[in-house]
Amino acid sequence: MNRIVLVTGATSGYGLATAYKFKAEGDTVIIASRNAEKVNKVVSEGGFDAGFTIDVTDYAAWLALKDFIMERYGRIDVLVNNAGGGVAIVDTVDQTKENIDKAIALNLNSVIYGSSIFGTVMKEQKDGMIINISSVCARHCWPGWSVYASAKAAVLNFTKGLYVELQPHGVRATCVIPAAAATAFQSSAGIADENQTLYPEHIADAVVYAANQPKGVVVEEVTVWGTSQQVQPL
């Protein structure tokens, strides 16, 4: 298809799997993440078209990324706001101010920053798609996940509002809502990993499915569960 695709948090997990999936579709793929060494390694090993080191909580860094893409490619067709993290999965009363602020900045502010900056470009193009990655925590509750869940619930509702704003300009917005998957998320959040039947490739399939819809069609949201995760009531 040769779309210009930007994926954040793309050196592992959902982001990396999604980048590979778009590349397999014949698209030009730019990966972005905060670790320069990992970005360079993944670009080299994965055959991606470009890499960019970014702290997604830094608005100025988003502006620099936009300039980089526009100068090199002249447009952006798909933005996948995937970067995020649990930060600290503990009860609200045990959260520190630092971790609360970090969780909201990483999981929510970054999505708004990227959508605002690249949404402006897409609005001018009168074409484009923004795909935001939320979590089943947006709709279901588990002890210790409240701060993270608040950010991910906001991502879901933000995406709905974003679509309403951009739809008259030919731009679509979709929210992909993954359940617990076999990624490094659990260990980086300081919690025990569990055997999962949901893998990053399954989330990548959902992202690319949404992106591949005809221009007159939008997938508002899609939730992907692994059958190993039981939630009652669903």
Side-chain angles (χ1 to χ4, degrees):
M1 291 187 179
N2 200 26
R3 295 166 293 198
I4 307 301
V5 179
L6 168 62
V7 184
T8 69
T11 56
S12 65
Y14 304 151
L16 180 57
T18 297
Y20 274 121
K21 186 76 173 177
F22 274 113
K23 192 64 184 171
E25 293 279 308
D27 296 315
T28 296
V29 179
I30 303 102
I31 67 164
S33 193
R34 63 183 177 180
N35 186 304
E37 183 178 348
K38 286 184 179 180
V39 169
N40 293 333
K41 181 180 180 182
V42 169
V43 169
S44 176
E45 293 179 351
F48 298 113
D49 299 276
F52 195 91
T53 304
I54 183 175
D55 174 358
V56 293
T57 67
D58 182 352
Y59 188 83
W62 276 103
L63 291 172
L65 177 52
K66 183 201 76 170
D67 290 343
F68 170 79
I69 290 175
M70 296 306 292
E71 288 171 8
R72 180 171 292 197
Y73 302 105
R75 65 180 291 109
I76 178 76
D77 296 299
V78 181
L79 165 63
V80 181
N81 276 312
N82 167 72
V87 181
I89 305 303
V90 297
D91 286 357
T92 305
V93 295
D94 296 319
Q95 292 278 358
T96 65
K97 179 185 182 300
E98 179 183 18
N99 283 340
I100 292 169
D101 291 346
K102 186 176 181 180
I104 299 301
L106 177 58
N107 293 291
L108 175 59
N109 293 3
S110 67
V111 173
I112 298 174
Y113 291 166
S115 298
S116 173
I117 290 168
F118 282 101
T120 300
V121 174
M122 292 177 182
K123 182 177 176 180
E124 292 172 355
Q125 294 173 171
K126 297 190 180 303
D127 188 31
M129 170 168 274
I130 297 173
I131 302 175
N132 296 327
I133 308 301
S134 180
S135 164
V136 291
C137 291
R139 289 204 168 114
H140 302 272
C141 299
W142 290 272
W145 292 83
S146 298
V147 174
Y148 174 81
S150 69
K152 289 302 189 179
V155 167
L156 175 57
N157 278 331
F158 167 74
T159 306
K160 293 175 182 287
L162 181 68
Y163 172 65
V164 170
E165 294 167 350
L166 294 178
Q167 183 265 345
H169 306 283
V171 181
R172 294 170 289 170
T174 293
C175 193
V176 174
I177 308 169
T183 70
F185 180 95
Q186 282 85 358
S187 59
S188 64
I191 58 178
D193 198 4
E194 299 176 1
N195 293 326
Q196 304 292 348
T197 58
L198 184 66
Y199 286 85
E201 291 74 17
H202 301 133
I203 305 306
D205 286 344
V207 171
V208 175
Y209 168 78
N212 283 351
Q213 296 306 303
K215 289 185 179 180
V217 177
V218 64
V219 176
E220 177 188 354
E221 61 189 66
V222 55
T223 303
V224 186
W225 290 90
T227 55
S228 57
Q229 185 175 11
Q230 188 175 42
V231 180
Q232 295 179 333
L234 181 63

